[in-house]
Amino acid sequence: MVFSDTTNNTGIVQQVRHLMRVDSNQWPTSRIVNSVNNYLDLVTGYAIGADSRFQWDDTNHTKLPIGTTNLVANQSDYSFLTDEQGNTILTLSRIDLLDSNGNYSQLELIDQADYEGQGLDQLQATTGIPSAYDKIADNIIRLYPKPSTSVTAGIKFYFQRTASYFAATDTTKSPGVAPLLHRGFVIAGAYDGALTLGLSNLQALSVEKQVEEKKMQQYFSIRNQDSSKVLTMKPILFR
């Protein structure tokens, strides 16, 4: 579903106004853009949180969610705030280090909680080749040990980012999610408009919005059907 289609009136913009029974003067495109982008944030947050094994990304992004940065001697902390196109990086999913053979190897993820009662500073006492990293925040890491040399593009990072947002000038652009979820953007936009203007069909749109959100949640909960399922034993507690 494209964002705007004034010829066939099948775009998100046209369908939102149809459900609201308003025209462009009563509910301008800029308002619909806000609603659609807010719903994109909702979908993105749920997609990222639903399953750590499936790295969701908006299909409108033209670059893969992978980047590199220089490894700097004696610098432990690195922040990854935006990708090369200016999209906000929400969370890091993997960190690799370039070795002397020109190959990237995955670093071990550690956590401060695993070193309770011990000083992590001990791991920084001497410099060397980093073998592990700690997430200080969703997009900030600290390497252990502190790197002893500088390496161009020495760090490769994998990440998840914000969606590709809509602008009022967009026409043929579609939401970067599965087509079966596109109606949710129409309902979300119409609901926001009805809420703001106090329209009589607000309750009906509220019910439809809940249906679309549930459909979205169900979709992301089963989207990785090609992933092998591993059975594990559940411990039994005896009292």
Side-chain angles (χ1 to χ4, degrees), residues 93-140:
S93 56
R94 172 172 168 159
I95 300 293
D96 290 357
L97 193 74
L98 187 65
D99 62 25
S100 57
N101 296 318
N103 300 314
Y104 285 99
S105 299
Q106 184 175 2
L107 296 183
E108 178 188 3
L109 173 63
I110 63 175
D111 188 79
Q112 298 175 20
D114 298 331
Y115 290 82
E116 187 173 352
Q118 306 177 51
L120 276 175
D121 291 341
Q122 296 176 6
L123 299 178
Q124 297 279 19
T126 58
T127 61
I129 299 175
S131 59
Y133 70 99
D134 180 22
K135 274 190 179 182
I136 306 301
D138 286 335
N139 51 10
I140 301 175

Side-chain angles (χ1 to χ4, degrees), residues 64-116:
L64 291 175
I66 303 172
T68 60
T69 191
N70 295 334
L71 184 71
V72 181
N74 295 309
Q75 178 179 321
S76 298
D77 299 344
Y78 297 81
S79 60
F80 309 90
L81 304 180
T82 60
D83 66 8
E84 60 182 289
Q85 296 177 295
N87 301 293
T88 300
I89 293 176
L90 300 174
T91 185
L92 299 167
S93 56
R94 172 172 168 159
I95 300 293
D96 290 357
L97 193 74
L98 187 65
D99 62 25
S100 57
N101 296 318
N103 300 314
Y104 285 99
S105 299
Q106 184 175 2
L107 296 183
E108 178 188 3
L109 173 63
I110 63 175
D111 188 79
Q112 298 175 20
D114 298 331
Y115 290 82
E116 187 173 352

